[in-house]
Amino acid sequence: MRLATWNIGSALGQDIYKNVEYIVQNIEKNLVDVLCLQEVVTSGDATNFIDELQRRLSFKYSRFYELSSAHLEDSTMMGIAVLSRYSIEESFEGLSNWFILCYKVL
């Protein structure tokens, strides 16, 4: 199983669809099975970003957690996401203000 993590906060700059294409090309090239994303913007044009990425990569399973306001714009929220080719059996968050996602992947 290949797992990748990517902080994509700055990847959502000008054209979200060009950025989706760039991410898809890199994930496919590296044969990634589980993709962990940080700084996923959840407003404006970015609201469908995870759905589009999941569709383009044919990852059947995902989890997303919105965590905090973005450091770039006060009105924008950011979160973390996991996209997977494998079933995600369970997930949880904890540790008061710090969030941890633990996945049992089949």
Side-chain angles (χ1 to χ4, degrees):
M1 176 188 314
R2 287 192 182 198
L3 181 132
T5 182
W6 196 335
N7 183 327
I8 60 164
S10 60
L12 297 176
Q14 298 79 19
D15 186 338
I16 192 166
Y17 296 102
K18 286 182 184 175
N19 294 325
V20 166
E21 184 62 33
Y22 176 74
I23 292 169
V24 167
Q25 287 174 1
N26 280 278
I27 297 306
E28 287 177 341
K29 180 175 95 175
N30 291 290
L31 304 172
V32 172
D33 297 307
V34 179
L35 177 60
C36 304
L37 301 171
Q38 300 86 45
E39 294 195 5
V40 178
V41 176
T42 61
S43 61
D45 289 341
T47 53
N48 297 321
F49 178 77
I50 293 297
D51 294 337
E52 179 67 13
L53 196 56
Q54 186 174 357
R55 185 186 68 75
R56 293 283 309 279
L57 289 168
S58 299
F59 281 23
K60 291 175 63 175
Y61 307 97
S62 67
R63 293 289 190 276
F64 174 78
Y65 292 92
E66 192 169 69
L67 298 178
S68 64
S69 60
H71 53 82
L72 303 174
E73 295 180 34
D74 290 337
S75 62
T76 301
M77 295 297 287
M78 285 186 162
I80 55 177
V82 175
L83 305 176
S84 178
R85 295 186 192 284
Y86 303 101
S87 173
I88 300 170
E89 191 174 292
E90 62 185 82
S91 65
F92 65 90
E93 54 185 289
L95 293 181
S96 64
N97 292 334
W98 293 92
F99 292 83
I100 294 178
L101 298 178
C102 296
Y103 288 89
K104 185 175 181 182
V105 180
L106 297 178

